[in-house]
Amino acid sequence: MSQGPGAQPSPPSVYHERQRLELCAIHALNNVLQQQLFSQEAADEICKRLAPDSRLNPHRSLLGTGNYDVNVIMAALQGLGLAAVWWDGRRPLSQLALPQVLGLILNLPSPVSLGLLSLPLRRRHWVALRQVDGVYYNLDSKLRVPEALGDEDGVRAFLAAALAQGLCQVLLVVTREVEEKGSWLRTD
């Protein structure tokens, strides 16, 4: 079916899970992978494998509401033949070989609120960035809809702003081959 003159192409279908409980790590994984591959039950199983003898599992919330740590994300990706490579924020972002990167997962400080009341606390929040049909998107599960960041320059600007705020950690989601070769890093 062809489009008439002046018709705008329909926007690409971007998979985006919204925040539920403290499951931002699961949402970030599914959003970066662009499909629902992980659930709270799957993440809890990973936690049990990571700390089989722990009464209180150190990789998730004591309340059982999520709040998974980086070890759960890394193990989940490894189970799919992928890897999470920590980006050293002291490196210039121009050295990041974005075409070699499947997506990015950021861990950011996030304000805590009760309804309209903001509390003077900060928690950590996992956020996915991913390119879909040539456009990079911020797939933060706290957003109502994905936020288009644009091209490589747009995603680098977003990363620069996040890193400049401090306390931001960036994980590159790559294939094992890219991890082994180190081809996520430009050397020129």
Side-chain angles (χ1 to χ4, degrees), residues 46-67:
I46 292 170
C47 288
K48 289 176 189 168
R49 282 198 321 263
L50 291 171
D53 299 325
S54 291
R55 231 180 133 130
L56 298 174
N57 196 295
H59 303 289
R60 65 177 178 202
S61 165
L62 298 175
L63 302 175
T65 55
N67 199 23

Side-chain angles (χ1 to χ4, degrees), residues 11 23 28 30 48 56-57 65 88 105 117-118 124 127 135 138 164-165:
L23 303 178
N30 289 336
K48 289 176 189 168
L56 298 174
N57 196 295
T65 55
D88 184 343
I105 297 179
L117 176 65
S118 254
R124 306 299 297 174
V127 174
V135 177
N138 173 0
Q165 290 180 24

Side-chain angles (χ1 to χ4, degrees), residues 6-26:
Q8 296 293 318
S10 57
S13 177
V14 178
Y15 183 83
H16 178 243
E17 288 184 5
R18 299 276 315 275
Q19 185 72 25
R20 190 172 67 79
L21 300 173
E22 293 180 296
L23 303 178
C24 58
I26 294 168

Side-chain angles (χ1 to χ4, degrees), residues 32 34 98-99 101-104 129-137 139 150-152:
V32 83
Q34 283 296 283
L98 282 168
V101 176
L102 176 69
L104 301 100
L129 307 179
R130 169 76 191 247
Q131 185 185 51
V132 178
D133 291 339
V135 177
Y136 284 91
Y137 290 91
L139 301 169
D151 60 8
E152 286 190 19

